Amino acid sequence: MTVQPEQEQRIVAAIEAAECVTSGEVRVHLNDRCSGDALRDAQKAFTKLGMHRTAERNGILFYLALESHKFAVLGDAGIHTKVGQAFWDGIRDAMIPELKAGRWVEALEYGVAEAGRALAEHFPHQGARDRDELSNEVSRG
């Protein structure tokens, strides 16, 4: 599936907006196909992207396999201990209707915004001391 530049720009804008209020990190990783287990693929991408190396272990990855119609939301240990599994399940469940309707950009915008709110609550932005530990660009592969 071809991702249009304007779609990617909307996702990056959502990530940047979320990260304006938190020291946490949000990434979006797109694949065409999934191996069959989206969570396992997300875990591999999480490690490959170095998301486990953030100072406070507060990275969140949105993994989406567009042609396979599979996705996963994965949070590192620091944020997971604060919000618990119910939080991830809630984001996942809220994204499903948009994804089923083919509105994957809107689903990601919603999910990233929700992740940003949780990160801001538990890991507020550090002002001038805050640094962006990971790229905001959409990764692929």
Side-chain angles (χ1 to χ4, degrees):
M1 176 176 278
T2 302
V3 177
Q4 300 300 317
E6 58 273 3
Q7 292 172 312
E8 191 164 329
Q9 289 168 358
R10 286 176 56 192
I11 296 166
V12 170
I15 293 169
E16 290 172 348
E19 289 186 0
C20 280
V21 295
T22 180
S23 64
E25 298 291 331
V26 178
R27 295 287 317 255
V28 171
H29 184 82
L30 301 177
N31 259 353
D32 289 333
R33 286 178 216 69
C34 168
S35 69
D37 184 342
L39 186 56
R40 186 180 65 225
D41 288 0
Q43 290 167 333
K44 287 179 185 177
F46 194 94
T47 301
K48 183 178 178 183
L49 294 169
M51 294 189 68
H52 60 293
R53 294 189 185 117
T54 61
E56 297 189 71
R57 302 289 306 265
N58 57 1
I60 298 175
L61 177 66
F62 288 84
Y63 170 90
L64 184 59
L66 295 166
E67 291 177 13
S68 298
H69 302 285
K70 301 224 178 199
F71 79 104
V73 182
L74 182 63
D76 206 350
I79 185 63
H80 182 74
T81 59
K82 304 280 188 188
V83 299
Q85 188 60 43
F87 176 75
W88 309 116
D89 294 346
I91 288 180
R92 179 201 62 215
D93 293 348
M95 290 175 66
I96 288 173
E98 293 291 333
L99 290 168
K100 283 186 175 180
R103 294 187 295 266
W104 61 271
V105 174
E106 290 83 352
L108 285 170
E109 287 172 324
Y110 170 81
V112 167
E114 286 299 302
R117 282 190 269 286
L119 285 167
E121 180 180 337
H122 300 288
F123 300 96
H125 197 274
Q126 300 298 309
R129 295 181 299 132
D130 199 273
R131 67 181 185 88
D132 201 357
E133 294 180 80
L134 300 171
S135 170
N136 296 336
E137 297 303 311
V138 174
S139 60
R140 291 200 173 83

